[in-house]
Every structure is written in structure tokens, then in C-alpha cells.
């Protein structure tokens, strides 16, 4: 049983803790944060299903005044685990790495950290074997994670030469205020980092892209134009996507009109927080343009990286050294593909 700790109990950290708790061959030792945030207060109100550790000792009284039971410090947590999942704010993970290294522990960092923090820039499907046995892994961002799932899926079937993407990016997570309220679209310079990151993970594919920030909170949408190495039909593309346990093919005709439809459907399914681990691809968006294939993906930014993080634990801890075996077990415990 691999023992896991989570540093940073925010948007991603909460979901990582839940994801680990679902893995039958892992044990969640505890979670760490610095203050009685709303997420930590909710943890207390739920009866403290996870032990809580204080990452900032000078905040001990603040936590005590909020009635948060504290089991120790971040260093106490690190000493009890085999591997840490770091979901802290960008830059904090690099500082925490010093603690992980001090106790010779393995760690997995999220997409906000610089690539230099880790030994391997990791994706469960595209380069699982490169992460096997490594001490420090870094996940791709939410958009890059979902994008690689779809591109890798087709690449395995027909080979992909290049992709051009446009990302319609949500401006902030639900409940966030730091970006303010806007009535504007903002464009970033090309190529966006997701295209560059895809090429880092899959160097045999030429990728470029444009990103547009939009004043919404529930999910990103990415349009992809993929150039295959040989002609592939829409039916063959559909078959490939339908066979992938982390891709849900949906239809506009069935009422999936956009990102809000998918978020509502996840809530109607009773998924905690309305989370979706899978990306969605609209069937009606898949079109042939000469030899190219175009399609559109929905990225549920709060939860899409959870499966790949579970894969990273499996690779780093050598629980499974074969990628296909590792992702299959993650999928099983997370219930991926159950809608088929």
C-alpha cells in the first residue's frame, strides 16, 4: 500500500485527496495547508475525513481558533508518506521540494510549477514509462492534459504529423474573485504554452496554437485541427475516441450544447462538486477537411488532471512499470468509462 500526502488543499488538492482515497492500492495519510480556508473549514464540517497538517507553523493559533484539528506540520506529514502530491500555488512547490528532498521522498507537482522542478514532464498516456522510478514528476496543465489525451488517442491509431489549436479559456475557477468581472475577450500571443508543452511531451508532433481568455468559469473549449500521416475518416476518429476511457463523446443533438451543459450533467449524475475526470468531444464537431481532422474538446479544468496524477504515483512508485497497465488500474478505481 503506497502512502500518499497532499500539500495544498485548494481546487486541485481537494480533488487529488479524493482521487487517492478511491485507489484501492493507495493510502491517503493526510493533507496540508496554511490557513482555515473555506475548503479546510468544509473539511472540518464534514467530520475531518482526512487528517490535516499545518504547512505554516506561525498560523497554528489561527487554525486552532477556527477549530481545525491539526495533526502536525508539513514536515511531519512528509516523513510519514512514500510520495507527496504538491498542489500549492505556483512557486511554493519548488520551495516545498527542499523538504521532500531532505527526507528523500518522491513528489509530483502540478502544471503551475516550472518544468525545471521535476525530473520528468509527465502525462499518463503519452510518456508513462519515462516517469517510472523517478523522484520528481511534473504534470501538464489542465488544457495540455486533455489536449494530449485526444491527440495521443489519434496518434496511436493513424499517426499525427501536426496540430493547430485554438483554446477558448475560462478566466478563473468557480468562486474565484482575483480576476475580477470583465466583459471582454483577451488574446495571448502565439504559440500558446499548451502547444509548446504538447511538443515537449510528444516531440514527433509539430504543434502551434492561439489562446483566448473568456469571462466564464466552467471549463475551457479547445478546437483542434490535426494532420494525420494518412487519411482517416470521421467514423474511424469516432471509433478511436469512443474506445478511450478518459474521453466522453457527446452530441449537440442530445442537449450537450456547450460547457455549461456538461457541468450541469455532471451535477445531475451526482458527481462530487460536479467534477468530470473525462474530457468531452462533440460528435458534430468532428469534420474532415481534406486530409485534416477537426474537432472540439471540453476541458473540465478543476478535475481533468486527477487521473494523470494517479498515473504519476503509479509510475514514480513503480506500482506498474507498463503504462497501459498503470492507466487501466487508475481508470478502474476512478470509474472511468462507466458511461459506455
Amino acid at each position: 500500500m503506497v502512502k500518499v500526502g497532499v500539500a495544498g488543499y485548494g481546487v486541485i488538492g481537494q480533488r487529488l485527496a479524493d482521487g487517492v482515497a478511491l485507489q484501492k492500492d493507495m493510502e491517503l495519510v493526510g493533507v496540508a495547508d496554511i490557513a482555515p480556508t473555506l475548503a479546510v473549514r468544509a473539511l472540518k464540517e464534514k467530520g475531518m475525513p482526512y487528517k490535516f497538517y499545518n504547512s505554516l507553523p506561525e498560523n497554528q493559533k489561527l487554525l486552532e481558533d477556527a477549530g481545525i484539528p491539526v495533526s502536525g506540520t508539513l514536515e511531519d506529514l512528509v516523513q510519514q508518506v512514500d510520495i507527496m502530491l504538491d498542489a500549492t500555488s505556483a512557486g511554493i512547490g519548488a520551495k516545498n521540494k527542499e523538504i521532500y528532498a531532505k527526507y528523500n521522498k518522491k513528489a509530483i507537482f502540478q502544471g503551475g510549477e516550472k518544468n525545471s522542478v521535476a525530473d520528468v514532464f509527465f502525462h499518463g498516456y503519452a510518456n508513462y514509462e519515462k516517469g517510472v522510478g523517478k523522484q520528481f514528476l511534473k504534470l501538464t496543465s489542465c488544457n495540455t492534459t486533455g489536449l494530449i489525451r485526444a491527440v495521443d488517442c489519434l496518434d496511436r491509431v493513424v499517426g499525427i504529423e501536426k496540430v493547430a489549436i485554438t483554446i477558448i479559456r475560462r478566466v478563473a475557477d468557480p468562486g474565484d474573485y482575483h480576476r475580477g468581472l470583465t466583459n471582454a475577450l483577451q488574446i495571448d500571443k502565439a504559440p500558446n504554452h499548451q502547444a509548446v508543452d504538447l511538443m515537449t511531451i510528444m516531440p514527433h508532433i509539430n504543434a502551434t496554437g492561439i489562446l483566448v481568455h473568456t469571462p466564464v468559469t466552467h471549463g475551457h473549449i479547445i478546437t483542434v485541427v490535426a494532420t494525420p500521416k494518412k487519411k482517416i475518416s470521421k467514423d474511424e476518429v469516432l471509433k478511436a475516441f469512443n474506445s478511450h476511457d478518459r474521453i466522453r463523446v457527446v452530441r449537440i443533438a442530445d442537449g450537450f450544447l456547450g460547457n455549461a451543459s456538461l457541468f450541469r450533467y455532471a451535477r445531475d449524475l451526482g458527481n462530487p462538486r460536479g467534477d468530470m475526470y473525462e474530457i468531452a468531444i462533440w460528435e458534430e464537431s468532428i469534420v474532415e477537411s481534406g486530409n485534416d481532422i477537426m474537432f472540439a474538446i471540453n476541458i473540465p479544468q478543476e478535475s481533468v488532471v486527477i487521473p494523470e496524477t494517479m498515473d504519476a504515483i503509479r509510475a514514480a512508485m513503480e506500482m506498474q512499470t507498463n503504462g497501459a497497465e498503470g492507466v487501466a488500474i487508475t481508470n478502474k478505481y476512478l470509474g472511468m468509462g462507466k458511461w459506455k
Side-chain angles (χ1 to χ4, degrees), residues 1-4 20-29 80-83 313-314 317 319 333:
M1 187 75 73
V2 169
K3 295 183 178 181
V4 185
V20 171
L22 290 171
Q23 307 298 302
K24 305 296 185 185
D25 48 3
M26 300 179 193
E27 176 190 346
L28 180 69
V29 176
Q80 296 177 60
V81 304
D82 300 308
I83 189 166
I313 298 171
R314 297 184 178 284
M317 296 305 303
M319 299 173 73
Y333 291 145

Side-chain angles (χ1 to χ4, degrees), residues 236-304:
E236 291 172 311
V237 171
L238 267 173
K239 181 180 178 181
F241 286 154
N242 276 314
S243 68
H244 199 296
D245 284 344
R246 296 184 191 175
I247 297 175
R248 180 192 290 263
V249 177
V250 299
R251 300 173 70 242
I252 297 171
D254 292 334
F256 292 100
L257 305 182
N259 62 329
S261 305
L262 286 155
F263 184 74
R264 177 177 176 177
Y265 193 66
R267 288 185 296 177
D268 290 343
L269 286 171
N271 293 358
R273 307 183 187 90
D275 286 348
M276 293 170 281
Y277 293 137
E278 68 272 16
I279 61 171
I281 295 178
W282 282 274
E283 181 177 326
E284 293 95 333
S285 75
I286 303 172
V287 290
E288 299 175 40
S289 177
N291 287 332
D292 292 346
I293 290 289
M294 184 176 184
F295 54 91
I297 309 170
N298 182 79
I299 306 290
Q301 82 280 354
E302 297 173 292
S303 50
V304 71

